Amino acid sequence: MITSLRKQSVFGMPCALALAFFAVAVFGPSQAFADSRDEEIKQLRAMINALDQKLQVLEREQALRKGEAAAPQQVAAQPAAASQAAPAQPAAESAAKAKVIVDDKGFTLASADDSNRLRLRGLMQADSRWYGDGGAKGRDSFVLRRARVMLEGQFSNIFRFQFVPEYGGSTFTLMDANVSVDFARAAQLKIGKFKAPFGLARLQSDSWAALTEPSFIAQIAPSRDIGVQLGGSFFGGALDYQVGVFNGVGDGRSNQDNTDSDDDKDVYARIFAHPFKSLKDSPLAGLGIGIAGSHGRQNTRQGLTAGYRTSGLQTLFMYASDNGAGNYDTSLPTHTGEIWRVSPQAYYYYGPFGLLAEYVTSTTHIRPGAGQDAMRITNKAWQVTSGWVLTGENAGYDGVTPARPFSVDRGTWGAFELVARYDHIDVDNDVFPILANPAESATEASSWGVGLNWYMTRTVRFSVDYNQTDPKGSGLAAPTGTVLKKGEKVILTRAQITF
């Protein structure tokens, strides 16, 4: 096409000029044709200018596609008598033109070379909870579980940032706010607030958890904290690691007020391997196995869990408060001294099948009251979660992508996934009756759940789960709480959109 236009430019111009001279020679003596002659000449000039502009635009586009450094000329409509070659623009200026990308990963504004990117993402989860067997009266409800607007960015292919406010729930919360520097694939520095490198299920995106609410593992594994982390991968992603220093939080907690209450810090380390990742066709390619640990000191009540909860988010266990009652010390228990956690973890994905397993133990030192000796307490939890994509798509740690997204016109339904989980928590018996009220808190509990996930598209998902929790008391007092007496049976639903 460019060659054709070039020929038009080369041969068309002399022909047009010849016609113009012919018109002058024939009609020049006649005043009656003067206006017509001038008009024809103007039209011919306009045609020549238009062809020349199209040629320059096409040459510039072809040069950009081939990665050539040819600088495009400035295109402007000018009278033929005054038209001159416009000064060339630098090639870098042309390459700096931004592009807009809209897909299931969000709305992205990127430079032409993709070295600079701004991405706007979102997550909304509208849930419902329906309790059975006479428990949790007055708590059947619709809930806006999560509502997040996420802003992410990248500059010069090295610097990245993340800003994630949470508008769901009862209060506004800043979930994540951090800056990263990618020195190399094996050395990436992250500073700010983000998920501590510990629990496998905790580190999974909230968008892709198999069941609606997390297992007991998430009640012990710490969530978000403020600190600095160095991480990366080796051997083509077959081995990942993270090490970091954080302010320190209690079991299942996040750093809500974005501050620290003492000088001591927690150290985290995690290593996760995909030993058969390079064997693309092997049934073991989707195996991942690792271990995580943390160690530190905390000297305030923030070092204690805010409470272990059921799938229906009812309190299953909590340490005594200063307004408690019963056969236990009503002074305020406070974490003091060492805290350490260990978590072996693994997952396996092969075609439509997925399996995730995790174990965590948390050892803390708790002082019942001022002037009393600290007690060493060890709490444990484990879980096994499995899933099967009924429509045949690949299962994965980062969710399911439907091969045939939902469409009324095409008669397609998306992807369906059947999931199941069994988990257990064991609270140290020594907490009763001094640190916790045996009439209100369980010493252990088992929970199981089954669910169906409908992925209409990558961005839209509907879920329904049935979960049952069976707690066990310490036997030191007659249970008074509904959960401790009857357990929990709950149906949870979720409508989710994520991009």
Side-chain angles (χ1 to χ4, degrees):
M1 184 177 181
I2 292 177
T3 303
S4 175
L5 287 173
R6 194 183 299 277
K7 288 180 180 179
Q8 292 180 34
S9 177
V10 173
F11 296 108
M13 188 178 296
C15 292
L17 291 175
L19 288 173
F21 282 122
F22 178 79
V24 172
V26 174
F27 301 105
S30 174
Q31 182 64 33
F33 294 98
D35 294 338
S36 176
R37 177 194 63 192
D38 292 342
E39 183 63 26
E40 289 177 358
I41 292 175
K42 289 180 180 179
Q43 292 178 1
L44 289 171
R45 287 174 176 172
M47 291 173 59
I48 294 170
N49 287 337
L51 289 171
D52 186 51
Q53 292 171 25
K54 291 180 180 179
L55 178 63
Q56 292 183 51
V57 170
L58 290 171
E59 287 177 339
R60 178 176 60 184
E61 292 178 352
Q62 186 183 52
L64 289 176
R65 284 197 298 267
K66 293 182 178 180
E68 297 174 1
Q73 292 182 344
Q74 187 179 18
V75 179
Q78 298 178 0
S83 63
Q84 296 180 356
Q89 297 177 352
E93 182 178 343
S94 175
K97 289 186 176 180
K99 57 184 179 181
V100 177
I101 304 170
V102 181
D103 55 20
D104 58 19
K105 297 179 181 179
F107 298 85
T108 304
L109 180 65
S111 59
D113 60 359
D114 278 335
S115 62
N116 303 293
R117 302 171 71 91
L118 286 176
R119 176 176 293 163
L120 182 66
R121 301 176 55 228
L123 171 65
M124 188 278 291
Q125 294 174 338
D127 294 4
S128 72
R129 301 169 186 160
W130 310 98
Y131 299 88
D133 199 22
K137 291 184 178 180
R139 296 194 62 179
D140 291 349
S141 60
F142 295 101
V143 180
L144 185 60
R145 185 68 170 90
R146 295 180 177 92
R148 300 174 186 172
V149 177
M150 297 167 269
L151 181 63
E152 301 171 346
Q154 170 186 296
F155 301 101
S156 302
N157 281 326
I158 298 176
F159 308 100
R160 292 182 291 119
F161 76 88
Q162 184 183 44
F163 182 77
V164 182
E166 171 66 84
Y167 299 96
S170 58
T171 59
F172 169 83
T173 305
L174 182 61
M175 301 297 292
D176 298 282
N178 53 77
V179 177
S180 300
V181 184
D182 296 348
F183 298 103
R185 188 171 184 180
Q188 300 171 357
L189 187 67
K190 195 172 188 177
I191 305 170
K193 185 177 183 179
F194 49 95
K195 289 183 178 180
F198 189 79
L200 182 61
R202 271 291 191 188
L203 291 173
Q204 188 178 34
S205 170
D206 293 325
S207 304
W208 308 125
L211 278 84
T212 303
E213 290 297 339
S215 70
F216 288 132
I217 285 284
Q219 308 295 318
I220 295 184
S223 184
R224 289 168 168 84
D225 201 358
I226 300 176
V228 56
Q229 170 186 289
L230 180 66
S233 62
F234 297 95
F235 312 117
L239 182 66
D240 299 325
Y241 80 94
Q242 299 92 30
V243 293
V245 180
F246 295 82
N247 284 337
V249 292
D251 290 356
R253 281 185 178 267
S254 289
N255 193 320
Q256 297 289 349
D257 55 8
N258 302 319
T259 59
D260 193 11
S261 55
D262 57 38
D263 295 332
D264 296 310
K265 300 293 178 279
D266 285 5
V267 177
Y268 287 80
R270 180 176 181 266
I271 187 169
F272 198 83
H274 300 85
F276 305 101
K277 185 175 183 178
S278 61
L279 306 177
K280 299 297 184 183
D281 298 327
S282 171
L284 297 176
L287 174 65
I289 186 169
I291 189 168
S294 72
H295 180 269
R297 294 182 64 88
Q298 297 175 25
N299 296 296
T300 68
R301 191 169 173 84
Q302 294 300 312
L304 303 178
T305 177
Y308 301 143
R309 301 181 185 277
T310 64
S311 298
L313 301 184
Q314 298 187 90
T315 300
L316 182 71
F317 170 88
M318 66 180 302
Y319 287 103
S321 60
D322 54 354
N323 61 351
N327 185 25
Y328 64 101
D329 192 334
T330 58
S331 60
L332 194 64
T334 302
H335 190 284
T336 176
E338 278 188 306
I339 177 171
W340 58 268
R341 306 181 184 95
V342 176
S343 175
Q345 51 199 243
Y347 61 55
Y348 175 68
Y349 296 99
Y350 181 63
F353 175 73
L355 180 70
L356 186 150
E358 191 172 9
Y359 174 88
V360 62
T361 178
S362 172
T363 298
T364 62
H365 291 77
I366 304 174
R367 178 180 290 122
Q372 300 186 40
D373 293 335
M375 301 172 60
R376 177 172 170 169
I377 301 300
T378 299
N379 299 331
K380 307 171 184 177
W382 58 270
Q383 70 147 328
V384 177
T385 302
S386 182
W388 185 271
V389 184
L390 302 175
T391 44
E393 288 88 347
N394 290 333
Y397 185 67
D398 57 351
V400 176
T401 300
R404 294 170 293 278
F406 179 83
S407 171
V408 175
D409 295 336
R410 293 190 297 269
T412 53
W413 290 89
F416 292 89
E417 180 187 30
L418 185 65
V419 293
R421 181 180 69 206
Y422 188 88
D423 55 317
H424 184 85
I425 189 169
D426 186 359
V427 178
D428 197 321
N429 290 331
D430 289 344
V431 302
F432 302 107
I434 300 174
L435 300 175
N437 186 346
E440 297 180 353
S441 293
T443 186
E444 63 179 294
S446 298
S447 177
W448 62 272
V450 293
L452 180 67
N453 298 322
W454 179 17
Y455 296 87
M456 299 184 70
T457 68
R458 177 69 177 175
T459 59
V460 180
R461 165 182 166 181
F462 290 92
S463 302
V464 57
D465 304 342
Y466 172 80
N467 294 269
Q468 181 169 321
T469 301
D470 300 309
K472 178 182 177 182
S474 65
L476 298 178
T480 57
T482 301
V483 176
L484 197 57
K485 287 192 295 184
K486 294 187 176 182
E488 178 186 80
K489 297 176 182 178
V490 60
I491 295 176
L492 306 173
T493 69
R494 170 167 293 170
Q496 170 181 291
I497 183 168
T498 180
F499 57 89

